[in-house]
Amino acid sequence: MTERKRRPLFAVGCPGIDCEGSMQVAKEAAKNGVVTYMQRMEQKVIQPCLFGKGGTCCRICSFGPCMIIEDVPESIGICGATASTVAARNFCRMIAGGASAHMDHGLETTLGFIAAAKGESDYTIKDEKKLLDMAHIFEIKTDGRAIKDIAIELGEKALAEFGKQEGGLYTVRRAPLKRQEVWKKTGVLPQGMQREVMEIMHRTHMGTDQDYKNLLLQGTRLAIADGWGGSMISTELQDIMFGTPVPIRAIVNLGALDEEKVNIVVHGHEPILSEAMAMVCQEPEMLAAAKEVGAPGINLVGVCCTGNEILMRHSIPVAGSFIQQEIVLATGAVEAMVVDIQCIMQSVAVVAECFHTEIITTSPRAKIPGATHIEFDHHHALETARKIVRRAIERYPRRRGVNIPRHKMDVVAGFSHETINHMLGGTFRASYRPLNDNIINGRIRGVGAVVGCDSAHVLSGHVHTTVAKELIANNVLVLVTGCAATACGREGLLRPEAAELAGPGLREVCETVGMPPVLHMGSCVDNSRILIAAAEIVREGGLGDDIYQIPVAGCAPEWMSEKAISIGHYFVASGVYVVFGRTFPTTGSKVLTDYLFRELEELYGGMWAVEEDPTEMAQMMIRRIEKGREALGIQEKKERVLFDMAMRREM
Ligand code: NFS
Ligand code: SF4
């Protein structure tokens, strides 16, 4: 775990991935004419547009495109739109894109949930406790009712949330009361989900809302509907159907691919598909079919957030994060890559053509030229999964040489907010009390969330892991999701042994409980788990009565997607200080950027920041955490006492 510097691995342009195995495969593949994002970056002849980068290019009507320079008085749109208006419109449309991705995923999950509840699919209700908890939140009567009936009603009420026009979302009520009051006062309580997207698209239409602050109110309303609505419904219904994650051991990185077995990669975001794949891959009939073509078995692995979902629930390895998706194929060891939605590079179909690999799209929402489309539906999940596995097996005899690097790393994943509750609070007395106490006594200075994508513009992975290491060294407990989690996994930070890298206070807590200092909480929709954890910390007491008061901070060091913008904004609206890495999409307007980076704090207690240097990013978060401690009057670090047996029992 040595510090590695940013090092360009191909001639110019692309810094590559902070993983020797990935770079070795990429280089070898490049020699054989396989083109990945690394070469595409180098070949890119057109320079990025500064107006587009800073958010001040408007192309929403045919008078434009209008490229606007903020400080030049005559540089405004033909309609008179200013830089702040244009940048705010673009920012809000990014939130709309990101939130829609999460909410549409949530909608699909809900439809699958209803099918499961009615007994019409291959899935069942696995977590009855969570079902009852959710029923309570949705004001559904449970006394004396059959589980099936409760589940059907929950599914239907959840479904109605997406199209609701007024009345607000049930799950938003899980936020601390003080927070809900803030949202009410500022007028950003979402009424429904789809309605808020529609309103953004309307307000950002030519000639409608032209006040950046008013535009941002709508952006905030939608972001809240995403985090506390669509994403949360996704996570919770998935947990009820597929089981709430508990800590499990698994492995990540390319070394998870198998030299001899049939390798099937699931890539995308909806566990509805990957769960079915996990269920059928080990069926005797499938294994026998694999034997027939000379393979000793079937190896299922994940990529991106789908990878995180099956890792958290089944210990199924993650072969790679977003940035590694082409490299996984370039090993030549993959028979089929099965994808659903989001973060799938179009190029996977092109890379696959260089090998015997078949790319199979499964969602009617996402097709790729060159891929085979086998549509997946809730009512025939296993049947479709078997069909896919058979196709993969058929490809196996066409496999030629493989190049699988040995690089893989042990991880412990599966830290739902319920797990944290049990782990720190004990099986008999699940509670956030010990965590709050450890924050109050200063062993843990605070909590830092490191989330989001991989970037092609930095030495990918290195930025995530540098931030995480700096945070834990300063006794900040780190929560990770999405591709940031996979990067931390590759670096070994998701093992209990990584406690050695933590500051003395955090190390003591981790060693006592036997947990890693960096906790994998799941995929990106699972950032809602972090919201719930924050709400629980508030509810437990002693650290203020709203999220903005607890010593937490968040970051997305290598963000790239619109989903990351929506996530960042719902954290800000929830009272969290959020730092994004390298670039920010509003920098073309100082007025708007100042609003997001400063003034928002007065409204929500949270605000945005951007920082390229990972160590400084972590330090910014630490300063914020320490400021929070000071405001709570707990800044004095207590005399460190060695743990005696009584204290261990107390933990
Ligand atoms: Ni999140 Fe997951 Fe990864 Fe970024 Fe994409 S896979 S939903 S968006 S790239 S973390
Ligand atoms: Fe230009 Fe205004 Fe049309 Fe945008 S809406 S393209 S700023 S004229």
Side-chain angles (χ1 to χ4, degrees):
M1 284 183 213
T2 49
E3 284 293 309
R4 280 189 285 269
K5 285 273 163 280
R6 192 184 151 113
R7 42 169 190 197
L9 282 136
F10 283 92
V12 279
C14 182
I17 305 173
D18 190 15
C19 162
E20 269 169 49
S22 299
M23 293 315 296
Q24 177 255 315
V25 174
K27 282 181 183 169
E28 198 53 38
K31 275 190 223 154
N32 299 321
V34 180
V35 176
T36 65
Y37 83 94
M38 300 186 202
Q39 285 93 347
R40 286 194 298 280
M41 273 183 84
E42 273 146 38
Q43 289 156 1
K44 215 171 152 221
V45 277
I46 304 160
Q47 287 304 307
C49 161
L50 283 180
F51 297 96
K53 193 167 179 246
T56 57
C57 172
C58 185
R59 38 166 288 270
I60 62 167
C61 91
S62 78
F63 285 5
C66 298
M67 276 101 86
I68 302 169
I69 304 169
E70 189 166 58
D71 294 329
V72 178
E74 57 275 21
S75 176
I76 52 175
I78 294 178
C79 67
T82 56
S84 61
T85 301
V86 171
R89 278 179 189 152
N90 287 331
F91 189 71
C92 286
R93 284 194 172 197
M94 288 185 89
I95 294 177
S100 295
H102 290 143
M103 297 187 323
D104 206 25
H105 170 168
L107 180 72
E108 204 49 46
T109 302
T110 307
L111 293 171
F113 182 84
I114 294 172
K118 288 184 173 165
E120 293 169 0
S121 89
D122 300 311
Y123 302 124
T124 51
I125 301 301
K126 272 205 183 146
D127 189 339
E128 290 187 7
K129 185 187 173 300
K130 188 165 258 196
L131 172 73
L132 297 179
D133 290 349
M134 287 300 283
H136 176 71
I137 291 161
F138 277 78
E139 296 174 352
I140 293 166
K141 286 208 184 69
T142 53
D143 282 352
R145 293 183 71 193
I147 285 294
K148 180 176 177 174
D149 295 336
I150 299 169
I152 293 174
E153 191 177 343
L154 174 62
E156 281 164 357
K157 278 190 127 172
L159 186 64
E161 297 287 87
F162 293 88
K164 215 183 230 178
Q165 300 305 316
E166 51 191 13
L169 302 169
Y170 286 106
T171 40
V172 168
R173 298 184 202 157
R174 299 176 93 177
L177 278 179
K178 270 273 160 63
R179 185 60 9 193
Q180 294 179 53
E181 280 163 24
V182 169
W183 291 337
K184 209 173 187 175
K185 210 176 101 206
T186 45
V188 295
L189 268 175
Q191 295 307 302
M193 287 189 239
Q194 290 160 347
R195 176 189 165 168
E196 307 303 351
V197 180
M198 179 171 70
E199 197 173 320
I200 281 209
M201 296 314 281
H202 175 199
R203 286 202 199 193
T204 55
H205 184 274
M206 195 273 165
T208 310
D209 200 353
Q210 293 165 98
D211 172 344
Y212 68 93
K213 288 189 184 175
N214 206 45
L215 277 162
L216 252 294
L217 284 182
Q218 182 56 23
T220 305
R221 201 172 289 128
L222 176 56
I224 295 169
D226 173 359
W228 294 90
S231 287
M232 199 171 276
I233 288 175
S234 253
T235 297
E236 301 294 40
L237 297 191
Q238 284 168 184
D239 279 359
I240 297 173
M241 255 189 296
F242 307 130
T244 302
V246 293
I248 44 95
R249 278 189 176 274
I251 55 168
V252 301
N253 216 352
L254 299 173
L257 291 165
D258 197 289
E259 257 180 41
E260 290 174 348
K261 292 182 182 168
V262 172
N263 288 306
I264 302 177
V265 179
V266 280
H267 172 13
H269 284 78
E270 291 174 343
I272 288 213
L273 163 72
S274 48
E275 285 285 326
M277 295 295 295
M279 283 158 86
V280 305
C281 269
Q282 299 313 322
E283 284 178 356
E285 202 188 316
M286 295 296 137
L287 295 175
K291 284 240 164 65
E292 257 170 51
V293 296
I298 302 168
N299 182 39
L300 183 70
V301 297
V303 161
C304 275
C305 282
T306 284
N308 288 323
E309 298 278 4
I310 47 173
L311 171 88
M312 296 267 287
R313 294 200 179 87
H314 303 286
S315 301
I316 290 172
V318 174
S321 59
F322 169 77
I323 206 79
Q324 290 173 294
Q325 58 186 287
E326 296 165 304
I327 317 281
V328 168
L329 298 178
T331 59
V334 177
E335 274 59 51
M337 178 180 261
V338 192
V339 306
D340 51 31
I341 45 157
Q342 300 168 23
C343 301
I344 300 141
M345 293 188 189
Q346 185 169 343
S347 61
V348 290
V350 183
V351 176
E353 265 175 24
C354 306
F355 302 92
H356 68 302
T357 312
E358 183 168 34
I359 304 289
I360 300 171
T361 53
T362 55
S363 165
R365 293 168 172 86
K367 295 191 179 182
I368 302 174
T372 308
H373 190 73
I374 301 178
E375 205 147 301
F376 194 82
D377 80 273
H378 306 303
H379 296 90
H380 310 92
L382 296 188
E383 212 181 296
T384 319
R386 285 188 196 110
K387 193 167 153 192
I388 292 171
V389 174
R390 275 198 204 96
R391 284 186 81 96
I393 294 170
E394 277 168 26
R395 290 265 165 158
Y396 182 80
R398 288 157 64 180
R399 191 194 276 188
R400 278 180 283 277
V402 300
N403 178 16
I404 304 175
R406 58 187 163 74
H407 298 79
K408 56 182 174 185
M409 183 57 85
D410 295 326
V411 299
V412 178
F415 294 92
S416 54
H417 103 86
E418 290 85 349
T419 302
I420 297 180
N421 216 0
H422 282 292
M423 200 144 185
L424 285 155
T427 322
F428 301 109
R429 196 173 48 101
S431 127
Y432 271 72
R433 193 69 254 156
L435 176 62
N436 282 29
D437 284 346
N438 276 311
I439 294 175
I440 293 166
N441 69 29
R443 268 188 209 104
I444 297 177
R445 304 302 291 172
V447 180
V450 181
V451 311
C453 325
D454 296 329
S455 172
H457 293 277
V458 297
L459 178 60
S460 188
H462 176 74
V463 185
H464 287 135
T465 55
T466 308
V467 176
K469 283 184 204 161
E470 184 75 12
L471 289 173
I472 61 172
N474 285 280
N475 298 306
V476 174
L477 177 66
V478 172
L479 309 179
V480 287
T481 58
C483 295
T486 309
C488 289
R490 286 197 299 263
E491 187 74 358
L493 299 177
L494 304 184
R495 300 173 305 163
E497 299 90 299
E500 286 167 20
L501 301 174
L506 177 61
R507 180 175 179 169
E508 202 167 86
V509 174
C510 289
E511 286 176 351
T512 310
V513 183
M515 69 178 195
V518 179
L519 304 180
H520 190 330
M521 291 190 85
S523 65
C524 279
V525 291
D526 291 341
N527 280 314
S528 59
R529 297 189 199 278
I530 301 182
L531 293 178
I532 298 170
E536 289 298 319
I537 291 174
V538 171
R539 206 180 322 277
E540 190 57 52
L543 291 168
D545 48 17
D546 192 359
I547 296 172
Y548 82 92
Q549 289 173 290
I550 54 180
V552 298
C555 68
E558 300 191 20
W559 81 277
M560 63 91 197
S561 78
E562 290 172 326
K563 287 181 284 173
I565 290 289
S566 183
I567 292 167
H569 202 67
Y570 71 60
F571 273 109
V572 168
S574 303
V576 180
Y577 176 63
V578 174
V579 195
F580 266 34
R582 202 183 73 88
T583 181
F584 202 79
T586 65
T587 46
S589 168
K590 191 173 175 308
V591 175
L592 178 65
T593 307
D594 271 356
Y595 182 68
L596 296 170
F597 286 28
R598 267 177 275 280
E599 286 173 59
L600 274 194
E601 193 181 20
E602 282 162 35
L603 290 179
Y604 307 115
M607 61 179 172
W608 285 97
V610 64
E611 172 55 50
E612 182 157 10
D613 179 71
T615 309
E616 178 53 21
M617 184 184 293
Q619 284 302 329
M620 286 160 77
M621 294 168 73
I622 292 164
R623 285 199 287 277
R624 172 63 171 219
I625 284 168
E626 292 301 329
K627 203 175 127 193
R629 299 184 62 86
E630 204 168 303
L632 286 166
I634 55 167
Q635 77 278 33
E636 283 306 311
K637 197 177 168 183
K638 291 244 178 74
E639 196 66 30
R640 202 163 78 84
V641 247
L642 286 174
F643 265 41
D644 60 19
M645 272 322 280
M647 288 168 89
R648 269 171 212 273
R649 241 173 275 128
E650 176 69 17
M651 295 267 335

